Amino acid sequence: MPNPTTITNYNFNWSNPMFENFLVPAYVMILITFLVGFLHVFATLKLMKSDPSWADGVPSMPYPNAPDSLKLIKNNIQNLFEFPIIFYVLSVFCFIQGIQDQLLMTLSWSYIVLRAVHSYLHIFVTSTALRGPVFVLSNLVLFAMLLGMLRTMH
């Protein structure tokens, strides 16, 4: 009988470095931020190529003449520098304090998944009805992380 923790021959256990070090999810959050940033650069370059008025120089915020697709990417980049800052601080605190807590690690990875989904919905789907609950849930997970850290204090 197959082991219930094995999915496609990969054993998910807490001794995997991905699930031991609180900095790994933070690195993934940084990677998501860079990916959205690169998407913004490519979208801007594409716009500069197709619209001669943009070739003279990219206007500064708030992009009054920019297409909505570029505004959505820019707004998402701004979102990635708001609540995720709290996530970075909590991750560093967990790392410095040497906290090895499965609940906190699960919340940490849950936050990353929710923020990745939020970024996708924000940029490609644009439905506030879908994006809003994901945003709220991600922040509830972040708050639960804070409470979980308080639980581990000595």
Side-chain angles (χ1 to χ4, degrees):
M1 179 172 218
N3 183 342
T5 62
T6 303
I7 300 173
T8 63
N9 296 328
Y10 186 82
N11 187 6
F12 289 96
N13 62 47
W14 294 106
S15 64
N16 183 319
M18 258 179 70
F19 300 109
E20 289 179 347
N21 186 332
F22 279 94
L23 295 182
V24 175
Y27 295 147
V28 174
M29 190 74 235
I30 292 168
L31 179 63
I32 291 168
T33 304
F34 269 108
L35 290 173
V36 174
F38 290 141
L39 183 61
H40 183 263
V41 168
F42 292 126
T44 301
L45 291 173
K46 181 180 175 186
L47 185 60
M48 289 172 70
K49 195 174 191 179
S50 65
D51 185 349
S53 67
W54 279 68
D56 294 333
V58 178
S60 61
M61 283 295 292
Y63 286 74
N65 300 323
D68 287 344
S69 60
L70 191 60
K71 290 177 185 177
L72 290 170
I73 297 168
K74 184 66 171 177
N75 287 344
N76 189 249
I77 290 171
Q78 289 174 325
N79 284 173
L80 291 170
F81 285 95
E82 294 170 351
F83 278 97
I85 299 301
I86 298 168
F87 172 76
Y88 293 130
V89 170
L90 293 178
S91 297
V92 169
F93 284 166
C94 285
F95 179 77
I96 290 172
Q97 294 176 0
I99 295 171
Q100 296 292 317
D101 186 274
Q102 289 182 354
L103 174 63
L104 284 174
M105 186 58 73
T106 301
L107 289 170
S108 183
W109 280 109
S110 298
Y111 183 75
I112 295 303
V113 169
L114 289 166
R115 289 307 305 201
V117 169
H118 176 266
S119 286
Y120 178 83
L121 293 173
H122 196 167
I123 295 168
F124 298 110
V125 178
T126 71
S127 169
T128 305
L130 292 174
R131 188 176 80 236
V134 174
F135 179 77
V136 169
L137 185 57
S138 72
N139 290 327
L140 289 174
V141 167
L142 191 60
F143 187 68
M145 269 185 78
L146 175 63
L147 295 178
M149 281 190 63
L150 293 175
R151 171 182 60 87
T152 65
M153 290 180 70
H154 303 281

